[in-house]
Every structure is written in C-alpha cells, then in structure tokens.
Amino acid sequence: MTRKLIEHADIVTLDPHGAILRNADVAIDGDRIVAVGQAPAGFQPDETLDATNHVLMPGFVNAHTHASMTFERGWAEDLPLDRWFNERVWVVESQLSDEDVYWGAMLAAAEMIRSGTVAFADHYFYMDRVAEAAEQTGLRALLAWCVFGEEHNIGVDLPGTVDFVRRWQGAADGRIRTLLGPHSPYMCDPQFLARTAAVAARLDVGIHIHLAESQEQVDNSLARHDRTPVELLEANGVFDVPTIAAHGIYVNAIDQAILARRGVTVVQCPNCHMKLGMGVTPAPALLAQGVNVALGTDGTASSNDLNMLKEARLAALIQKLHLADPEAMPGDLPLRMATQNGAKALGWPDSGAIAPGKLADLILLDCDQPHWRPRHDLVANLLHSAQAGDVSDVMVAGRWLMRQRRFLTLDIEQILWEAERRALALVGQDLAVVRRYKG
Ligand SMILES: [Zn+2]
C-alpha cells in the first residue's frame, strides 16, 4: 500500500461542516484519506505532490448515464423524444456490437476522467464490456444490464442479467458493483417488474430504472394501471430494494412522499432535461422531504457530454430560473449532489468528502487562471466559474488515473481512433471520407 501526501492545496472538503481549508495537506494511505490539514506525525509518504494553486475536492459521481452512447454524440439533435429515439438513437443501438459498446465505454471513461468523474452508474447493453472498461481504466462503476421485459432485449434476458451480476459483483478490488436494470415502468409490464424486484432481493442488489420522464407517461400509467409510475413501482416491490430512479420529473406530492419513505435515490439530469425540453425535477421539494437527489448526465445522445461540473452548475441554475428564486439550491448543495449523494446511491457512502477515514476519490483543479480570480469564495468559483478542463489530476481509491492532465490508465490515441471510426461506420460513414471533407 502506498502512502501519498498532497501539500499546499485549497480544499473544498464537502464535510458536514462545509469546511474550506487554505494551503492544507491531505495524507493518503492505500485507498483511504488518513489526515486532512496536516500529515500525522511520522507519516512517511512514498510520493509527495505540491498542489499550490490547485483546489482539491471529492471526485464527481455520475449517477445515471449510458456510457457507450458516446457513439451517438451529435447524432440526434433538436428532435422530440419519440423521433429522437425512433429515427436516430435506435438506428445506431439496434446495430451495436459488444466491441462497439467497449470502445464507446472507453471513450466515455476518458471523457469522465478528463472532467473529474471518479464513479458512474451505467445502464446499457453488453455490460461485460463496460465492466472491462471500468476494470481497465480504474473508475468505480455500478453497472446494470438494461432489459425491456420478456422479449425485445439486447444480448440477454432477466436470467442473463443475473449471470452478469454474479460475474462482476465486487470485481476489480470492489470498484465494480452491479444491480438490475429494467428499463422503465412504461417499457416493462407490472408482472415483469415484480419478478425483477424479487430476483434483485434474492441477489441482494438494487435496481436502476427510468422514472416519470413525461406527463404522457404518467397519464398512460394512470389510464392503464390506475397508478402513477411511482405508485406502480412501489406496488410491484421495486422499492423493496435500493432503487436509483433516473429523472423523476413528473412526481406529485404523494409520489414524493413515497420516494422519501422508501429511500429511493432520484437522479436529476439537468442538461438532458433542458435539451430535450422534458421539464424540471422538483429537486428542492424532494430534498426537503429527505430524498437523496443525485445528478447524472444521461447518455451523450441527449446531453452531448459527460461533464458533471456542468450538471452541478445547471442543477443550481435550472431551479433558480424555474422557481424565480436566486436562493434556491444555495451554497455547496449542487456540489454535494454531484459527489456524495451519487456516491451513496452507488454503494460507496465513504466516498464524496475529504475527511479522515474517507475513500481517496479526489480531484485537483488548476485555479491559477483568470476565471478563478479573485478567490473570494471557492465554492462559488467551482460551481459557477470553473471549467471541466481545469481538472488536472484524478485519484480513485488512492490511485492516480490522471496526473497533470496526462492519462495513466488508458491509451487515448487508440480510443479516439477506434471510437470515431466505429461510430461513423454504424451510420454508414467512413472516417477517411469525413477527413477528406474536412480538408
Ligand atoms: Zn437514461
């Protein structure tokens, strides 16, 4: 186990007191932080890093994404949800091979590390290949193989996802966790949801699902089942296991009380919600009732990037605008949603704060730049001024994944080449032709 000492950092701890430390040190032993402020007496580091002019904070946690959708970035623009899916996204997804999923996930991993994400909750297909990408790149990952019901699945059915859980639960020294991924209450029928919930309980894993993305979904659910989507999931036992519910936009007061009582995590994806014109997750109301609200990017076919710093900023701005209240989502709350709330949902409650005993999942941002000056308020600078490109160093479980903007666990040239040529081939384009067009 190696010992590392990071010196002279300005630290946004996101601890319970919201402590901000200037010119302070962080001592790390193995995968844990052992001291913050000053190294313990006699601490003998194997490696010392001078973090002068850098802000140190917990790494970001992307609590809802489809990593391999990086292949569809910029492929489905300015369309309503039904046309976005049927005319564009599905055209690509119906042809994906497991090798495509791997390279899409590697491209996503590079982008996530580059922008300071240390863990992600993924919901997609051919998930063994996403697990490989997480294993190789050093990220933490909570992985669900998405299924639609008894048929029309991609790669596996429900028993197949059980095998996936058994293969990968706790792999990569515990960095990889798994759960079940029924797509949504509008794609999966109630009997299938109930069966999935029972299987999850037996396996002692959770469920990651899409929930209440449009008023139409709620209206259809009421017409068909006489229940809102939230009520339908509760009635079928889904909330008997830890549940991550993506979006949660159209949830009424009764739904919100159910989500709070059952300990469901709601993942707001502000960039996706704005870009697809979906609506606004009532995050302040949910938080006030004790719901764990985390943030995610969703796939890059809708959000176009995997930038959690941007999601935290938009989570603040969207509520200030929507509620016409500049005091909505104050202080470091959006940063907590983008870090520790996600970490808790993904099963690493010891990640997401800089304090002794916590997991060493942290990032450094270069603040020796015009948009960081003056440094009156580091939280405001982080939330409203910082750029993803300011992230210079990323550590997961005490291991550096990026140092001084250099990737240490992946071959970026190979990833860029494989990802672009494969993504273009899926839509009938040729990289050579594209390059010629661009001159
Ligand atoms: Zn999604």
Side-chain angles (χ1 to χ4, degrees):
M1 291 300 235
T2 60
R3 294 174 165 201
K4 298 183 175 70
L5 181 63
I6 303 172
E7 295 182 308
H8 311 303
D10 290 338
I11 305 174
V12 175
T13 63
L14 300 184
D15 72 2
H17 314 291
I20 309 283
L21 307 175
R22 304 272 185 163
N23 191 16
D25 302 346
V26 177
I28 295 145
D29 191 350
D31 66 352
R32 299 262 166 186
I33 295 167
V34 292
V36 178
Q38 254 188 326
F43 185 78
Q44 299 260 329
D46 302 297
E47 180 190 344
T48 302
L49 183 151
D50 181 356
T52 302
N53 274 327
H54 285 74
V55 167
L56 186 154
M57 67 171 285
F60 294 112
V61 177
N62 189 341
H64 176 70
T65 190
H66 315 281
S68 302
M69 284 183 99
T70 45
F71 274 23
E72 290 146 77
R73 191 197 318 268
W75 169 245
E77 297 300 307
D78 305 328
L79 291 171
L81 199 55
D82 56 336
R83 292 187 58 204
W84 173 88
F85 183 74
N86 293 319
E87 295 177 21
R88 305 298 284 183
V89 170
W90 191 242
V91 171
V92 172
E93 290 194 335
S94 59
Q95 305 176 67
L96 280 175
S97 69
D98 72 321
E99 196 67 7
D100 294 328
V101 167
Y102 170 77
W103 287 106
M106 288 298 280
L107 181 62
E111 185 181 352
M112 287 191 276
I113 293 169
R114 188 69 190 78
S115 52
T117 289
V118 295
F120 66 110
D122 205 56
H123 192 275
Y124 211 54
F125 316 110
Y126 303 115
M127 291 302 289
D128 290 281
R129 307 308 307 275
V130 182
E132 278 177 45
E135 185 173 41
Q136 291 164 10
T137 57
L139 289 165
R140 295 187 190 277
L142 175 68
L143 306 176
W145 196 316
C146 175
V147 287
F148 298 102
E150 305 295 351
E151 48 194 21
H152 307 304
N153 292 314
I154 298 179
V156 295
D157 50 11
L158 181 58
T161 69
V162 171
D163 294 339
F164 167 73
V165 165
R166 294 206 168 108
R167 278 195 295 279
W168 287 98
Q169 183 71 307
D173 297 324
R175 278 191 295 103
I176 295 177
R177 302 172 62 90
T178 59
L179 75 177
L180 300 186
H183 183 273
S184 58
Y186 59 93
M187 295 291 281
C188 307
D189 65 45
Q191 296 75 17
F192 182 77
L193 289 170
R195 205 151 68 82
T196 303
V199 170
R202 204 165 64 238
L203 289 169
D204 195 21
V205 298
I207 283 178
H208 185 170
I209 192 165
H210 296 92
L211 179 65
E213 300 157 299
S214 71
Q215 186 59 48
E216 187 187 9
Q217 287 174 14
V218 177
D219 294 343
N220 288 342
S221 180
L222 287 168
R224 266 185 225 146
H225 310 295
D226 202 24
R227 288 183 164 122
T228 66
V230 170
E231 290 169 339
L232 189 73
L233 293 189
E234 184 180 44
N236 285 283
V238 170
F239 298 156
D240 294 351
V241 299
T243 301
I244 296 177
H247 307 298
I249 299 171
Y250 296 88
V251 287
N252 64 27
I254 295 167
D255 293 335
Q256 292 177 24
I258 293 171
L259 295 169
R261 183 161 45 78
R262 304 307 302 271
V264 175
T265 290
V266 172
V267 184
Q268 185 186 10
C269 305
N271 193 156
C272 162
H273 296 176
M274 294 170 79
K275 189 153 178 279
L276 295 185
M278 293 166 72
V280 181
T281 302
L286 290 166
L287 288 162
Q289 294 180 64
V291 175
N292 184 45
V293 181
L295 298 179
T297 58
D298 213 334
T300 52
S302 49
S303 66
N304 293 54
D305 65 17
L306 300 169
N307 178 351
M308 287 299 296
L309 186 59
K310 184 169 79 174
E311 298 296 343
R313 180 173 305 163
L314 291 176
L317 295 179
I318 198 172
Q319 300 295 347
K320 290 177 194 295
L321 176 66
H322 184 61
L323 302 172
D325 177 7
E327 294 181 287
M329 306 299 288
D332 64 15
L333 179 56
L335 294 176
R336 290 177 186 273
M337 292 162 70
T339 55
Q340 56 201 226
N341 289 13
K344 184 178 166 200
L346 268 63
W348 289 286
D350 285 352
S351 183
I354 306 299
K358 295 289 185 184
L359 286 166
D361 298 342
L362 55 86
I363 61 175
L364 294 171
L365 295 98
D366 170 10
C367 61
D368 194 15
Q369 307 193 59
H371 59 276
W372 277 86
R373 301 299 171 93
R375 285 173 274 183
H376 291 305
D377 181 338
L378 288 182
V379 167
N381 284 5
L382 264 174
L383 196 53
H384 295 295
S385 311
Q387 305 295 323
D390 299 342
V391 176
S392 58
D393 301 83
V394 175
M395 175 183 282
V396 175
R399 174 191 184 197
W400 293 115
L401 307 191
M402 184 169 78
R403 280 285 289 120
Q404 297 178 327
R405 296 191 174 85
R406 201 164 52 81
F407 291 110
L408 300 180
T409 57
L410 54 85
D411 179 345
I412 189 62
E413 291 303 324
Q414 187 188 15
I415 290 169
L416 295 179
W417 161 255
E418 287 284 356
E420 187 158 41
R421 92 182 164 82
R422 286 172 179 278
L424 292 174
L426 282 169
V427 295
Q429 291 182 45
D430 176 330
L431 186 57
V433 171
V434 172
R435 288 213 166 132
R436 249 199 322 275
Y437 271 122
K438 285 180 177 169

